[in-house]
Amino acid sequence: MDRRITLDEFIISNQHLNQNASGEFSGLLRHLGIASKIINRVVNKAGLLDILGLDGGINSTGDSVQKLDTYANELMIEYLKNSGICAGVASEENDEFIDFTIDSNIKSSYVVVFDPLDGSSNIDVNISVGTIFGIYKRLSHVDRPLDLHDFCQQGNKLVAAGYVLHGTSTMLVYTTGGPVNGFTYDRGIGEFCLSHPEMKIPEKGKYYSINQGYSNSFSEGINEYLKHMASNNTALRYIGSMVADVHRTLCLGGIFIYPGTLKSPEGKLRILYECNPLSMIIEKAGGKSINEKNQRILDSEVFNLHQKSSIIIGSKLDVDEVLLFI
Ligand code: AHM
């Protein structure tokens, strides 16, 4: 019988393989899977519900907040809080971290960082968006309130990272430090099923991905690289949803670049919620992820919750090629 392994079955059967995988950790992964399904249901029906458009607010990094951003954010927070196995969260949509230990007396060793709905400028026009998450072991003692250090950890300390791509089909891709596995959502049974075991990024790809419309404000090196790609007739693909652009890069190889610009000299994307989790996935799949100073993203020091970074991420040979120009 052709039977797919569900996400729950996979997490439970792999619990013993990972030193980090206590029941608590596995439970957290499963809760993230369930929260993703609920977000996916609403994303899919967004045009039918009064949930498209701007919420009216501006988030901590100055972006306009969409109604769906707010919905997904509140859902992730509520879900993780009610799980009883998450000590606290930091979200791209909140200025400060949220400590669940104070009023709920939760003793968990894990905190979760997430971007509830990445690529939100695409929501209203039915283009793929994503949810990104990372799990850290907290540094403070379980009997104490959380502090900033529990969240501002380098990406190399992540114990798990993943994303959900709400695309033509919905996929959840994650790693706990070993292989990267991809699960496709089967709406008929309401489960994520293993469809892409042990994903590997090709060493070299045929697409590059960057918002070339900002080239006036890129560094000379990045512009030299772009000229080189154009002279090679290399195809450009840019969706403007990092999860979707990185997912394509993971599957087909190639490179995604968001460099510093005049508007955001240090880059636009946030280390904690976007760069670190996606870098862990790409590295574990055999790729590479650095910033414009050729520093490994996962080794970046994190000083505040909303710190940004430039990023050059993708196939190893493609990232190395960019280095020849910058
Ligand atoms: P968001 O979190 O407000 O959705 O912004 C993040 C998104 C990324 O998904 C994407 O790669 C980038 O912003 C696109 O930015 P731009 O429109 O400047 O190219």
Side-chain angles (χ1 to χ4, degrees):
M1 186 177 68
D2 177 23
R3 199 181 80 80
R4 297 269 184 193
I5 300 172
T6 67
L7 177 65
D8 275 8
E9 288 172 330
F10 186 85
I11 292 170
I12 292 165
S13 65
N14 280 278
Q15 200 168 306
H16 68 285
L17 296 178
N18 194 310
Q19 54 166 358
N20 295 312
S22 62
E24 196 179 45
F25 178 73
S26 300
L28 199 47
L29 284 172
R30 291 165 67 195
H31 273 85
L32 283 164
I34 299 169
S36 306
K37 286 194 237 178
I38 301 174
I39 293 174
N40 184 250
R41 193 182 59 186
V42 177
V43 167
N44 273 281
K45 288 199 296 191
L48 299 172
L49 310 171
D50 179 27
I51 204 161
L52 291 177
L54 294 176
D55 164 273
I58 301 280
N59 71 11
S60 32
T61 29
D63 305 313
S64 300
V65 177
Q66 305 268 344
K67 285 187 201 165
L68 257 179
D69 274 331
T70 308
Y71 172 84
N73 191 41
E74 286 170 0
L75 191 131
M76 289 284 283
I77 295 170
E78 195 187 312
Y79 228 84
L80 288 167
K81 182 172 183 182
N82 291 340
S83 74
I85 43 180
C86 173
V89 295
S91 160
E92 190 197 294
E93 300 302 334
N94 293 87
D95 291 344
E96 311 289 344
F97 65 81
I98 304 172
D99 187 342
F100 297 152
T101 63
I102 297 174
D103 51 349
S104 310
N105 197 27
I106 292 169
K107 300 275 185 219
S108 167
S109 329
Y110 296 101
V111 296
V112 178
V113 293
F114 62 84
D115 179 352
L117 219 50
D118 174 69
S120 31
S121 67
N122 284 319
I123 291 172
D124 288 357
V125 287
N126 202 3
I127 292 174
S128 304
V129 290
T131 301
I132 310 174
F133 61 86
I135 304 178
Y136 287 102
K137 212 155 194 183
R138 63 183 287 186
L139 300 176
S140 55
H141 193 274
V142 284
D143 289 329
R144 311 271 316 154
L146 294 175
D147 66 54
L148 197 60
H149 298 103
D150 293 318
F151 296 93
C152 289
Q153 299 193 47
Q154 290 175 316
N156 56 36
K157 300 285 187 311
L158 279 164
V159 293
Y163 63 79
V164 180
L165 173 63
H166 308 282
T168 42
S169 61
T170 302
M171 275 195 74
L172 186 149
V173 175
Y174 83 99
T175 176
T176 55
V180 175
N181 290 293
F183 300 78
T184 301
Y185 187 50
D186 181 338
R187 219 166 292 281
I189 57 170
E191 295 285 356
F192 283 105
C193 296
L194 183 63
S195 52
H196 295 61
E198 309 207 356
M199 296 173 84
K200 289 276 170 235
I201 181 169
E203 264 212 314
K204 178 133 188 74
K206 53 180 182 173
Y207 298 122
Y208 72 108
S209 185
I210 183 169
N211 191 338
Q212 208 153 341
Y214 302 151
S215 62
N216 276 349
S217 68
F218 294 160
S219 68
E220 210 183 314
I222 293 288
N223 274 321
E224 284 305 313
Y225 171 73
L226 298 182
K227 270 191 222 157
H228 164 74
M229 298 306 267
S231 69
N232 282 344
N233 267 331
T234 312
L236 171 68
R237 293 278 188 278
Y238 188 75
I239 298 168
S241 273
M242 189 185 188
V243 172
D245 281 314
V246 169
H247 182 71
R248 180 197 56 250
T249 307
L250 170 61
C251 296
L252 301 178
I255 194 157
F256 171 83
I257 305 176
Y258 206 112
T261 58
L262 289 179
K263 188 175 163 207
S264 311
E266 73 285 21
K268 172 187 176 184
L269 301 170
R270 297 78 170 171
I271 296 193
L272 274 188
Y273 316 110
E274 291 159 331
C275 301
N276 273 343
L278 296 179
S279 297
M280 180 179 186
I281 289 188
I282 289 292
E283 281 201 6
K284 293 295 171 193
K288 190 164 172 175
S289 181
I290 56 170
N291 61 22
E292 266 184 289
K293 295 180 189 143
N294 188 14
Q295 291 158 340
R296 183 177 175 231
I297 291 284
L298 293 178
D299 292 338
S300 304
E301 295 285 349
V302 186
F303 300 105
N304 68 69
L305 292 175
H306 295 283
Q307 193 172 316
K308 297 174 178 181
S309 174
S310 58
I311 187 163
I312 301 169
I313 181 169
S315 296
K316 200 174 162 310
L317 296 181
D318 288 304
V319 173
D320 287 343
E321 189 178 16
V322 181
L323 287 175
L324 301 175
F325 294 87
I326 57 173

